[in-house]
Amino acid sequence: MKRKSIYTLASIWLGCLLVLFSGCATIPTEYITSNEIAIIPQPQKMVVGDGQFNISAKAGISYNDAELVDCAEFLAEYVNVSNKNISSKFNPEADIVLKVNEQNDQYLGDEGYTLKISKDQVVINANSVAGVFYGVQTIRQMLPISIEQKDGIDVRAALKCVEIMDQPRYGWRGFMLDESRHFFGQEQVEKTLDMMALYKMNRFHWHLTDMNGWRIEIKKYPKLTEVGGKGDWTSGENAGGFYTQEQIKQVVEFARKRNIVIIPEIDMPGHATAANKAYPEFSGGGTDRHPEFTFNIGKEETYSYLSDILKETTELFPGPWIHFGGDEVHFANKQWKDIPEIQELMEKENLKTLYEVETYFNRRMAGVIDSLGKTTAGWDEVVDAGLDPEKTVVMWWRHNMPTQLAKALDKDFKVVLCPRIPCYFDFVQHKTHKMGRTWSGFGSLEGVYQFPDMPESYKVKDSEQIMGIQACLWTERVHNLERFDYMVYPRLSALAESCWTNQANKDWDNYQQRLKSHIQLYDVLGIGYFDAFDPEKTPEPMWPIQK
Ligand code: ACM
């Protein structure tokens, strides 16, 4: 009797399983599309067709150039198909085709792409791996947001049929992060790089040294991080932190896969406090407000020391640019007058003023960067230093000095636009906000979006010399990840559109509609943000200390 009941139970289970399996076989897969196409930055040309391409679990991905493997793997991950579906043996009939042109298509330039989605096939075509990568990011944004949740749901994504022809307005689409004032670490940096990639941004300027912390390991001078890496702007007693060379290599590789070039900044001859804490023998003093702010640029040993640092830095970053700061030296260089080595240098080189000493230093260090095979980048103070415009990129940041931009252009420098208003993301973004900088204005979402076409207080003339635009997150008052996200999102998306989309194709009302979908994406990805549509919903995370 007992035995019989076991058999009965077993056969009931078997029956249930059979019903379940046969049920699965007959229920068609459900494919979902996103409700609307909400791509940021807005593509230059887009025609929406009828129907959709269903991305089955069996969809094959094929590519024609070995360097496209990362693009294929990203795509497989985004659309939830196995890497086993990827084939490097090129098949133009595959479900999803990634293709670098053998002959350049003039319209597409270096980073443009076409994306054709029909009911039967998806084809991305570009002149470069970067272009294909941006086509893949466009697909990522066309997917229903629930796919990003990756929570085991068994619905599959579909893409609306569309034809897109796209290419960026600017080649430099940048974001700068100051990790000296507060240190955020590898995970946050990589998360930011991934969001930059989603928004087709391609330059990460990493401000690694300044007054409150030295964040890059230099093997020849270990105290830079052992001593100079401690503390942050909130307190010198805080742990602070730094990146080992190994970690930097990992971040560089993470960025490379996303077509992002990293520009490291070693700030000199000012903003050197953390370095001077570690190696006081190279300090050129400062003021009460900014103690030990400068290097002693009269000493020959200082040039060897900084050249060694730049050499190790160069070896870590394969991109073409090294940023050497050059900003705000006049803040705290008065002690230079009293330093015998600086007096001797002035005598020897016939330098009449401290400013001439500073420009002498800039020229020498730019020469070092050149000898290391890199191009110098510097803040807009360096415009007057007599540097070679062919070998220098200038970042125009002093929005209250448009003459500095005009001068840079007149002197034939290549320029990146990052005026404090609207590009400094430590400025507040709403009139009710209290934490963060305000001057005669602030960095509203609309201000960022309209830049550089409708700047409120200055006119940026169109010029081939303008390489692009960059946002800068200075972090004196950004002490945690919550404030980090709040200051960056959604302004990063507005900046991305300013960088990528031609003025004729920008539309503030339409952007705001698309942004609503992106805010849902931020929720899914666990990214904090300021809700520009409902400011009270996301109150400003306060910075706890008054200084
Ligand atoms: C700067 O904001 N000191 C470049």
Side-chain angles (χ1 to χ4, degrees), residues 255-457:
R256 185 201 62 76
K257 287 188 169 189
R258 289 161 179 77
N259 285 288
I260 295 172
V261 175
I262 304 188
I263 300 95
E265 180 180 350
I266 308 291
D267 207 343
M268 58 182 80
H271 291 270
T273 319
N276 289 338
K277 193 163 72 167
Y279 292 96
E281 59 271 41
F282 300 113
S283 176
T287 60
D288 288 347
R289 194 153 172 235
H290 299 290
E292 310 305 330
F293 183 78
T294 62
F295 290 115
N296 178 353
I297 62 175
K299 238 181 171 176
E300 252 332 279
E301 292 84 344
T302 306
Y303 291 87
S304 316
Y305 167 62
L306 293 175
S307 301
D308 290 343
I309 290 171
L310 287 174
K311 183 162 184 300
E312 281 195 38
T313 305
T314 298
E315 282 160 7
L316 290 170
F317 292 94
W321 301 281
I322 298 286
H323 200 301
F324 77 154
D327 56 322
E328 296 179 323
V329 183
H330 64 279
F331 262 25
N333 64 347
K334 304 290 170 289
Q335 286 185 357
W336 282 356
K337 307 200 276 311
D338 306 321
I339 297 178
E341 292 98 339
I342 294 195
Q343 288 162 355
E344 279 162 34
L345 179 75
M346 290 176 83
E347 180 86 19
K348 184 164 152 243
E349 297 292 334
N350 194 23
L351 306 170
K352 299 276 177 275
T353 61
L354 293 188
Y355 181 65
E356 286 184 23
V357 179
E358 178 186 329
T359 60
Y360 165 87
F361 170 86
N362 285 339
R363 286 190 298 279
R364 248 182 102 169
M365 294 318 295
V368 171
I369 293 173
D370 183 43
S371 72
L372 292 168
K374 301 286 181 178
T375 300
T376 299
W379 298 109
D380 67 39
E381 284 89 336
V382 304
V383 164
D384 300 307
L387 303 182
D388 181 349
E390 292 284 311
K391 297 178 176 173
T392 315
V393 171
V394 170
M395 294 193 170
W396 176 57
W397 66 281
R398 290 182 290 180
H399 70 290
N400 52 335
M401 293 178 69
T403 45
Q404 210 63 10
L405 169 63
K407 213 194 279 178
L409 295 174
D410 283 348
K411 290 190 175 188
D412 289 334
F413 285 103
K414 294 256 175 22
V415 178
V416 175
L417 304 173
C418 48
R420 277 179 288 224
I421 297 174
C423 292
Y424 274 21
F425 284 2
D426 57 325
F427 275 64
V428 302
Q429 56 197 311
H430 192 261
K431 59 182 186 306
T432 60
H433 289 174
K434 306 255 178 306
M435 297 305 310
R437 287 203 269 178
T438 42
W439 282 30
S440 48
F442 56 89
S444 69
L445 184 65
E446 182 169 5
V448 175
Y449 186 81
Q450 302 295 8
F451 187 76
D453 306 310
M454 289 173 63
E456 277 159 27
S457 53

Side-chain angles (χ1 to χ4, degrees), residues 87-323:
S87 164
S88 60
K89 191 160 171 294
F90 187 53
N91 169 14
E93 310 292 318
D95 300 309
I96 303 178
V97 173
L98 310 181
K99 195 160 146 263
V100 171
N101 290 326
E102 272 143 39
Q103 304 236 304
N104 259 16
D105 175 330
Q106 242 185 329
Y107 177 79
L108 294 178
D110 290 342
E111 296 182 288
Y113 67 94
T114 58
L115 168 64
K116 289 193 185 141
I117 303 177
S118 61
K119 288 178 194 158
D120 306 321
Q121 199 182 30
V122 173
V123 181
I124 299 175
N125 183 237
N127 290 335
S128 64
V129 174
V132 172
F133 180 78
Y134 295 134
V136 169
Q137 294 307 314
T138 293
I139 291 182
R140 183 179 179 190
Q141 290 199 17
M142 288 177 67
L143 293 165
I145 286 167
S146 52
I147 295 293
E148 284 275 353
Q149 277 167 320
K150 304 210 181 352
D151 58 0
I153 46 171
D154 58 2
V155 284
R156 305 235 15 118
L159 298 165
K160 289 192 171 143
C161 291
V162 77
E163 285 201 23
I164 291 176
M165 209 183 203
D166 205 7
Q167 100 175 115
R169 176 179 181 180
Y170 292 114
W172 189 294
R173 303 181 297 280
F175 177 71
M176 187 217 80
L177 175 63
D178 164 17
E179 285 213 88
S180 174
R181 272 47 176 265
H182 285 100
F183 181 75
F184 301 97
Q186 188 170 350
E187 191 179 334
Q188 179 67 2
V189 165
E190 292 185 351
K191 193 167 163 190
T192 307
L193 289 169
D194 201 48
M195 290 305 286
M196 286 176 65
L198 176 79
Y199 286 135
K200 303 186 174 85
M201 296 179 68
N202 63 353
R203 304 279 180 262
F204 179 62
H205 170 176
W206 210 355
H207 188 78
L208 286 161
T209 73
D210 208 303
M211 294 159 63
N212 305 99
W214 183 281
R215 310 300 185 198
I216 170 173
E217 179 189 28
I218 301 293
K219 302 247 192 224
K220 190 156 183 188
Y221 300 101
K223 283 193 285 179
L224 283 170
T225 43
E226 283 164 19
V227 177
K230 297 227 170 73
D232 57 29
W233 202 80
T234 301
S235 164
E237 301 306 311
N238 283 349
F242 66 90
Y243 294 98
T244 62
Q245 295 203 350
E246 197 42 50
Q247 287 170 323
I248 286 178
K249 285 181 197 156
Q250 288 166 15
V251 174
V252 166
E253 175 59 7
F254 188 93
R256 185 201 62 76
K257 287 188 169 189
R258 289 161 179 77
N259 285 288
I260 295 172
V261 175
I262 304 188
I263 300 95
E265 180 180 350
I266 308 291
D267 207 343
M268 58 182 80
H271 291 270
T273 319
N276 289 338
K277 193 163 72 167
Y279 292 96
E281 59 271 41
F282 300 113
S283 176
T287 60
D288 288 347
R289 194 153 172 235
H290 299 290
E292 310 305 330
F293 183 78
T294 62
F295 290 115
N296 178 353
I297 62 175
K299 238 181 171 176
E300 252 332 279
E301 292 84 344
T302 306
Y303 291 87
S304 316
Y305 167 62
L306 293 175
S307 301
D308 290 343
I309 290 171
L310 287 174
K311 183 162 184 300
E312 281 195 38
T313 305
T314 298
E315 282 160 7
L316 290 170
F317 292 94
W321 301 281
I322 298 286
H323 200 301

